[in-house]
Amino acid sequence: MSTRGHRSPTAARRRRWGGLGWALVAGALAGLVLAGARSAPADAAVPANQRLVVLLRNHLARATPGPGGRHVMTVRARSVLTHVRTSLPVLDTATSRGEFWLRVRLPGRPNGHTGWIAASHTLPGATPWRLVVDLSARSVSVYRNGRVARRFRAVVGKPATPTPRGAFFVEEVVAISPRDTGGPFALATSAYSSVFQEFEGGPGQTAIHGTTGLSGRPGTAVSFGCVRVSPSAITWLARRVVAGTPLTVRK
């Protein structure tokens, strides 16, 4: 999604996007949830859709809605590895001094932290996809519109380097050479290792990625914290999951 080029009416509308636009999106999503519920049985514990926000510039995340809230972090408009627009799950909304604010799940440490960002200079989005990693079952369940679409056996973290548990999201989808370790794709997540502050030159960020070049078969707990699935499984995921997709890791 690019914002470069001449000043078009569409660009002007984007700059003026505010509470009304987000209210319309919320209403549309409610309709999608009802439509999904009518079309087929769903897991009542899994929401059918997740609201997302796409950042058009860097944003200050605050502890409370409004410009006076304590500064939590600066969220960059583009991801670190692939430089795609940053997409964050929206958890709540509020109005402060006439400005619309969004409580979002944030990238980086500490795991699972949240903050409030202004809705200005953003675009609304949504995804019907949701991932659940079950560490006991050593599996990845993929939900679409609240229903299980696929379930894959997985390699999870060993006891000394466990896969972090909690509520996270997919930060970006990274293509890897099919011949390289962990290929052919990786879903870089907002979950960070509790053991490694740094790992192989990176910040200890965990991912769901392929098993290429790695030991351990799906259904075992032998990784350094990442979740591994077969090359065919990660390819299937990479073709469907988008940045901002919610991820739950449970025991």
Side-chain angles (χ1 to χ4, degrees), residues 36 39-43 46-48 128-129 142-150:
S39 63
D43 186 335
V46 178
W129 298 97
V142 188
Y143 289 83
R144 187 176 188 277
N145 292 322
R147 302 177 60 216
V148 174
R150 295 290 294 271

Side-chain angles (χ1 to χ4, degrees), residues 18 21 57 61 63 77 117 137 147 182 210 229:
R57 72 176 190 187
I117 65 170
R147 302 177 60 216
V229 294

Side-chain angles (χ1 to χ4, degrees), residues 69-126:
R70 176 177 56 84
H71 179 212
V72 175
M73 69 175 294
T74 299
V75 188
R76 299 189 64 82
R78 292 188 179 274
S79 63
V80 174
L81 300 175
T82 60
H83 307 294
V84 298
R85 290 286 182 190
T86 297
S87 294
L88 307 172
V90 177
L91 307 178
D92 201 359
T93 61
T95 303
S96 175
R97 300 180 185 178
E99 188 176 14
F100 204 60
W101 289 76
L102 311 167
R103 187 166 75 90
V104 295
R105 203 168 294 287
L106 296 171
R109 299 180 191 270
N111 279 342
H113 66 151
T114 67
W116 291 87
I117 65 170
S120 59
H121 301 284
T122 71
L123 290 175

Side-chain angles (χ1 to χ4, degrees), residues 149-177:
R150 295 290 294 271
R151 185 170 282 125
F152 303 108
R153 294 287 282 168
V155 177
V156 300
K158 57 188 174 183
T161 54
T163 301
R165 286 184 286 168
F168 309 109
F169 64 96
V170 175
E171 290 191 15
E172 51 190 324
V173 180
V174 183
I176 304 171
S177 169

Side-chain angles (χ1 to χ4, degrees), residues 109 111 161-165 168-172 186-194 196 199 203-209 223-227 247 249:
R109 299 180 191 270
N111 279 342
T161 54
T163 301
R165 286 184 286 168
F168 309 109
F169 64 96
V170 175
E171 290 191 15
E172 51 190 324
L187 309 182
T189 79
S190 65
Y192 284 73
S193 171
S194 60
F196 300 107
F199 186 76
Q205 183 180 18
T206 66
I208 302 173
H209 59 71
S223 83
F224 288 107
C226 285
V227 176
L247 163 67
V249 182

Side-chain angles (χ1 to χ4, degrees), residues 25-56:
V25 170
L29 282 173
L32 287 173
V33 171
L34 291 174
R38 285 193 295 267
S39 63
D43 186 335
V46 178
N49 288 275
Q50 173 64 57
R51 282 186 294 171
L52 304 177
V53 58
V54 182
L55 306 190
L56 300 181

